[in-house]
Amino acid sequence: VERFEVIANYSFVWQFRKQAPQGNGTADISTVHCLELSEEEVSKAEFDNKEYAECKWWEVEEVLAGEFHPALKQAIWDSRSKKSYKTLEKIVANSGDDAAVAAAARNLVVRGTPFSGGSKPVKVRFSDGKYEYVEESSNESEPAIKRPKYNNGNQVQ
């Protein structure tokens, strides 16, 4: 249990759901944990085929560049940010020199998430097989795009 590290808590609000009554939405809270596995643990991992139609290991960069749910990408960015912060904290606690502190602080900012809205909620629509970050505008039919769009890992206009 002590190997599990809480990364963050996320709140989701869905307009519709698969469970009855399907016409009603749902609100969920998710706590994401990190558990680093050894090569031996990875080789012994088994997944329940009754619960999962398909399962495979993904490289982190593949997930960040691919068409995965924004919450999964956010959890990856938050995990990276947390790890970078811990590195900075350790350097400061060990009286690291200013150059080491500056380098660690820069790394923390660079590894910070382009998706994070901080305390501001993020609204995402799924349309035509793509996730789209949107911001409420005065005219709901014309949302203002707030977050960058990515196609195969490249930002598009």
Side-chain angles (χ1 to χ4, degrees), residues 5-91:
E5 179 181 8
V6 173
I7 298 301
N9 298 298
Y10 305 94
S11 174
F12 302 99
V13 179
W14 307 94
Q15 184 176 1
F16 302 106
R17 61 183 177 189
K18 290 194 180 236
Q19 305 88 355
Q22 291 181 341
N24 292 1
T26 185
D28 303 305
I29 294 180
S30 173
T31 300
V32 174
H33 295 82
C34 178
L35 173 65
E36 292 192 24
L37 302 175
S38 69
E39 289 295 325
E40 181 182 354
E41 290 171 319
V42 169
S43 70
K44 292 180 179 179
E46 294 182 23
F47 300 97
D48 185 352
N49 292 335
K50 294 176 186 170
E51 187 170 349
Y52 303 103
E54 181 181 2
C55 196
K56 73 176 237 178
W57 297 103
W58 294 84
E59 293 293 328
V60 170
E61 294 305 325
E62 289 179 288
V63 174
L64 292 175
E67 286 295 321
F68 290 87
H69 194 282
L72 177 58
K73 292 182 178 189
Q74 184 66 52
I76 290 170
W77 284 106
D78 290 345
S79 176
R80 286 179 162 187
S81 294
K82 189 171 188 175
K83 190 172 188 176
S84 294
Y85 180 81
K86 283 182 168 184
T87 299
L88 173 60
E89 190 175 50
K90 186 175 183 178
I91 291 169

Side-chain angles (χ1 to χ4, degrees), residues 114-134:
F115 300 109
S116 178
S119 61
K120 187 175 181 184
V122 175
K123 183 173 183 178
V124 179
R125 288 194 178 130
F126 186 73
S127 171
D128 299 323
K130 303 280 184 194
Y131 293 104
E132 178 182 45
Y133 293 86
V134 296

